[in-house]
Structures are given as structure tokens and as C-alpha cells.
Amino acid sequence: MGRTLKKNPEIRLHLEGTCLHVLDLLQCDPKDLSAYSRASALPAVEAHIQSVGQTPSQLLIEPHPPRSSAMHLCFLPQSPLMFKDQMQQDVIMVLKFPSNSPVTHVAANTLPHLATPAVVTVTCSRLFAVNRWHNTVGLRGAPGYSLDQAHHLPIEMDSLIANHAGTTKRQITDLVNQSVQINSQCFVVTADNRYILACGFWDKSFRVYSSETGKLTQIVFGHWDVVTCLARSESYIGGDCYVVSGSRDATLLLWYWSGRHHIIGDNPNNSDYPAARAVLTGHDYEVVCVSVCAELGLVISGAKEGPCLVHTITGDLLRALEGPDNCLFPRLISVSSEGHCVICYERGQFCNFSINGKLLAQMEINDFTRAVLLSSDGQMLVTGGDNGVVEVWQTCDFKQLYVYPGCDAGIRAMDLSHDQRTLITGMASGSIVAFNIDFNRWHYEHHKRY
């Protein structure tokens, strides 16, 4: 249908129907049309340039900058990447696990005196990893810091996971109740990183596993229905702590973890039938979230419907935390030793209560929040959810203090390193992201002095 017009050896114009297409133009300056010797070809070329323009050979000599996303820092599945100038950046590194299963639990037990300082992660498929923590990263002046080690990444992937060798040692394979939704509150990691407690099993128990071998070491019974959530208190010297289990039977049981014997209960000769320290009652529905603070001697729990309850560790019911009318379905609880109790409800509702039950502040955010945590002094609140954005808030009035770069996947879990300077998030994409965080820069006294 078309025919080729050769008005010049260096110009070929192809006519198809009513559309004129330039197939190959001279390699010359777009404004320089003097090279076209035939006046009859000049109007056609000028009309084409005015209609669709000319494509220059190159616009930029520098590569395009990356998108402002933390997740775009990870290019290889097993090769974490760190910013060169990590002290001035928000994101330290991204670590991608081969399984791609959402990371639903993160426990950062990073104290230097531990035999294995690590970030323990558990995925939705109940594959766990003990990722070595390097305490010297970024801590100028800290004990053990050396310039030779300053370039090291803070988190080193579990070698069994990275090499695909012996991953069966890292898998919790016991059958769980299919109606239980696996989330961050289904797991607890002991302070020494040596044991993982898990719940949701069909036989109404929760279980203790060795993080080193993956073997089941203890099965704990006590509830009349499936155990839905677990929490532990801060640890005493020696690793002793309280463990609280919540169940569909609408009760909670308070247990004692022996750091010396590595079991639930005080008697190693009776580890098969440990006795709960206290039974906490008062809820009318399935318990979905719980937090325990040994320093305050309090347990705060939330059921599927109804108010959150405050118990003592001896089992006495102190009060109910009554929120506004639209705060009826608690999902997450975080309590600090300073007496701040932050509760996240459905539809992005947050309430801050004093331990005496007074409502101090409330807010609503446009995100399905999956993880909340408080700074050690309780003055700052960190949240993350399906939007993939970590936000920092002032606890007393919920004033927004900072928003981190958004990630390409939702946030499922979070934890802070022992020095409160690194925030580790578990992502729905099967990654963990380490953020630099400095609560001092948002503190009132810091602003007043500096």
C-alpha cells in the first residue's frame, strides 16, 4: 500500500495511508535543517517534527535516581545492602529471606553479654531464623567498637537459611488449628534467644522449641480452648520472666519461665505438668492481645469484643480501660514501665491510657496497623502497618514526630535493639528492614538544649 520516496540518500520517508512516518533521520542537530537539500522534503520533515518531535540521542549522562522506597535497596535475595553513610540515613539495610513468607514476628535480643546476640524472626509459615547481631555497628564510643568492624552489616542472615542447608531445623511443623491467624502475638522468644514459644495448636497447648536445634522441649497445657496469644515480661537477672497465655476460653494464665532450667515452671522434675501462677478472668470473648509488665506487676489484655482489662500478676482484676464508643475491638497492646498503656483498635483507632484507667489521648490513622511498640521511657510510640510506613508519635498527645521512607510491602512486626538505636521491621514480602532511630532528637530536652 505504501511507497518509498527517496528524496535524499540520507532521508527515507515511508507513507502508509494518511500517516507519514520518519524511519531514519539525519544524525544532526534537531534545529539544523540545512542538510536537507531538496525543498520538497523540508515541509514534510518540519511537519513531522512539529507533530511528534525528534528523539535526541541522549538526555542524561547520570543514571536515574532510585525511587524513594526502602525496599528498592534490595537487589539480590541473599545480599543485604547498606548505605555508605549509614549514620545520616534512615535505612541501614534490607535483608531478604529466600522463603518469601511474610515475617510475622521479630525479637531483637541484642545485649552484648549474650552468648548469641541476634534478631530472631518467625515467618507466617513458621520458619524461624536466628540472625546474628553485630553490636559494634554505628556505635562510636561503645564498648568493643573498632574502626575495622565499622563496615560490617548489623544483621547477618542465619547461615542455615542463607545456604538452604538444614532448614528443617528451623521449621515448626506441629499441627496448628487452621482457624488461628498466625501473627506476631503467636510467638515469644526468650531473652537469651535460645527458645521460642509458640501457640495456636489444635490440642489447646502452647509449646517451647529450641532455636538451636528446632526440637520441641516442652508442651504446656492449662486452657480449655485454643491458645491465641502469648506475651512475656522483661527478664530478671538469669533470664527469669513471666509468660502470659490468652485463649478462646476467655481466660489468661500467668506462667513463670525459669532461665536456669529453660522451662515453664519452677520444678525441672515436673516439667510435663507445670502449674500456672495465676488465672485471670473477666473477659466474655476470645482473648486476642496481651501485654505484661513485671516492673509494674500488671497484665493488660484485650478480648475480641469489649474493653481491655487490667489485672495484677496475682490474678486480681483492677479495672477496665473504657475507650470511646468507636473503640470496641482491641487488636494490639503496648505497655511501658512508666505507666503508659497504648491500645490499637480496629479501623486505626488508638488510645493512650494511664494505668489508673484515665484516657489521656486518642487518634485515628489511615492504616491497618500490624505492629506497635513504645520506647523504653514510654515517651515515643512507633507504628507500622499494611501501608508499609513506619511512623513515630509522641505518646502523651499522639503528635506525629517523624515518618520513615515507605516500603513496597506491609509491615507485620517490629522490635528495637537493646540500645534503642536500631528499629527492625518484619515485612510481608519476607524481608526485614533495619532503620536508624534516635529518640533523643524528638525529645523536648534535646530541642531545648540543642
Side-chain angles (χ1 to χ4, degrees):
M1 294 294 294
R3 60 176 181 161
T4 303
L5 302 176
K6 293 186 178 180
K7 299 294 184 181
N8 191 295
E10 298 176 302
I11 299 176
R12 297 192 304 275
L13 302 177
H14 185 64
L15 182 64
E16 291 182 355
T18 60
C19 296
L20 185 67
H21 299 277
V22 177
L23 299 180
D24 190 9
L25 298 178
L26 283 171
Q27 298 297 320
C28 64
D29 187 88
K31 296 181 180 179
D32 186 11
L33 300 179
S34 61
Y36 300 102
S37 57
R38 297 292 186 92
S40 58
L42 190 60
V45 175
E46 286 179 330
H48 181 274
I49 292 174
Q50 291 176 358
S51 299
V52 297
Q54 267 187 320
T55 304
S57 58
Q58 186 174 11
L59 281 176
L60 303 174
I61 61 174
E62 297 290 336
H64 285 281
R67 291 173 56 188
S68 57
S69 168
M71 299 306 295
H72 276 81
L73 300 175
C74 184
F75 300 101
L76 298 176
Q78 299 178 36
S79 299
L81 183 69
M82 182 176 66
F83 283 112
K84 293 180 181 179
D85 191 5
Q86 73 171 51
M87 297 301 290
Q88 298 179 5
Q89 298 290 341
D90 286 328
V91 180
I92 303 173
M93 63 173 290
V94 178
L95 194 65
K96 181 71 173 67
F97 293 110
S99 69
N100 294 323
S101 181
V103 179
T104 57
H105 185 82
V106 175
N109 298 311
T110 59
L111 284 168
H113 71 262
L114 294 175
T116 307
V119 175
V120 179
T121 59
V122 187
T123 69
C124 191
S125 60
R126 297 183 297 155
L127 182 72
F128 66 89
V130 183
N131 308 288
R132 181 90 187 183
W133 173 265
H134 298 289
N135 281 290
T136 58
V137 176
L139 302 180
R140 291 188 180 274
Y145 179 85
S146 68
L147 292 176
D148 295 336
Q149 296 173 319
H151 66 281
H152 287 174
L153 294 168
I155 305 172
E156 179 185 345
M157 186 185 293
D158 189 325
S159 59
L160 291 182
I161 301 297
N163 301 327
H164 298 276
T167 52
T168 53
K169 292 176 61 176
R170 296 289 190 254
Q171 185 85 41
I172 299 175
T173 57
D174 294 341
L175 292 177
V176 296
N177 190 298
Q178 295 300 311
S179 63
V180 174
Q181 184 177 4
I182 302 297
N183 57 40
S184 180
Q185 298 179 93
C186 291
F187 307 96
V188 158
V189 178
T190 58
D192 57 5
N193 294 317
R194 295 180 61 184
Y195 294 90
I196 299 174
L197 284 65
C199 68
F201 299 101
W202 62 273
D203 62 357
K204 306 164 189 175
S205 70
F206 69 91
R207 306 185 178 196
V208 182
Y209 296 87
S210 167
S211 62
E212 182 179 356
T213 64
K215 292 183 178 179
L216 175 66
T217 62
Q218 189 178 16
I219 302 177
V220 182
F221 295 98
H223 286 284
W224 294 96
D225 208 335
V226 175
V227 180
T228 51
C229 57
L230 294 170
R232 77 165 174 87
S233 69
E234 63 275 26
S235 294
Y236 300 104
I237 297 176
D240 292 3
C241 65
Y242 290 111
V243 173
V244 178
S245 59
S247 171
R248 285 181 178 168
D249 63 12
T251 68
L252 301 107
L253 296 179
L254 183 79
W255 310 86
Y256 196 77
W257 171 262
S258 172
R260 178 184 177 185
H261 301 112
H262 309 297
I263 59 169
I264 292 288
D266 301 319
N267 186 1
N269 297 322
N270 192 30
S271 61
D272 292 337
Y273 303 99
R277 288 286 184 94
V279 180
L280 285 58
T281 61
H283 288 295
D284 296 323
Y285 300 92
E286 167 188 343
V287 180
V288 295
C289 52
V290 61
S291 182
V292 53
C293 179
E295 190 169 342
L296 297 176
L298 296 177
V299 177
I300 296 91
S301 57
K304 199 170 185 179
E305 294 183 33
C308 293
L309 301 181
V310 181
H311 289 84
T312 67
I313 56 175
T314 57
D316 297 324
L317 176 60
L318 294 181
R319 62 186 60 86
L321 302 178
E322 298 280 358
D325 293 339
N326 56 347
C327 298
L328 298 176
F329 308 104
R331 291 296 174 262
L332 299 167
I333 297 176
S334 186
V335 181
S336 77
S337 59
E338 301 298 318
H340 292 279
C341 178
V342 175
I343 302 173
C344 172
Y345 299 86
E346 279 192 349
R347 302 191 180 99
Q349 301 287 338
F350 281 80
C351 289
N352 177 23
F353 294 92
S354 71
I355 57 173
N356 293 321
K358 182 180 179 181
L359 179 61
L360 303 176
Q362 69 177 103
M363 71 168 175
E364 180 179 357
I365 63 176
N366 186 26
D367 193 2
F368 190 100
T369 304
R370 302 270 189 172
V372 299
L373 57 85
L374 289 167
S375 59
S376 59
D377 61 0
Q379 300 298 315
M380 310 292 176
L381 171 71
V382 186
T383 64
D386 285 352
N387 289 347
V389 178
V390 174
E391 298 176 87
V392 183
W393 313 81
Q394 191 165 274
T395 308
C396 62
D397 57 2
F398 287 135
K399 174 186 176 182
Q400 189 179 71
L401 300 175
Y402 197 71
V403 180
Y404 279 87
C407 301
D408 288 350
I411 296 168
R412 295 293 182 88
M414 293 190 301
D415 203 7
L416 285 164
S417 60
H418 72 282
D419 56 8
Q420 303 273 295
R421 298 180 68 170
T422 306
L423 174 71
I424 301 100
T425 62
M427 313 303 295
S429 60
S431 307
I432 57 175
V433 181
F435 294 90
N436 264 321
I437 192 165
D438 182 7
F439 292 110
N440 288 331
R441 61 174 163 165
W442 302 305
H443 201 279
Y444 169 76
E445 291 186 6
H446 177 82
H447 287 292
K448 188 176 180 180
R449 292 182 183 180
Y450 306 105

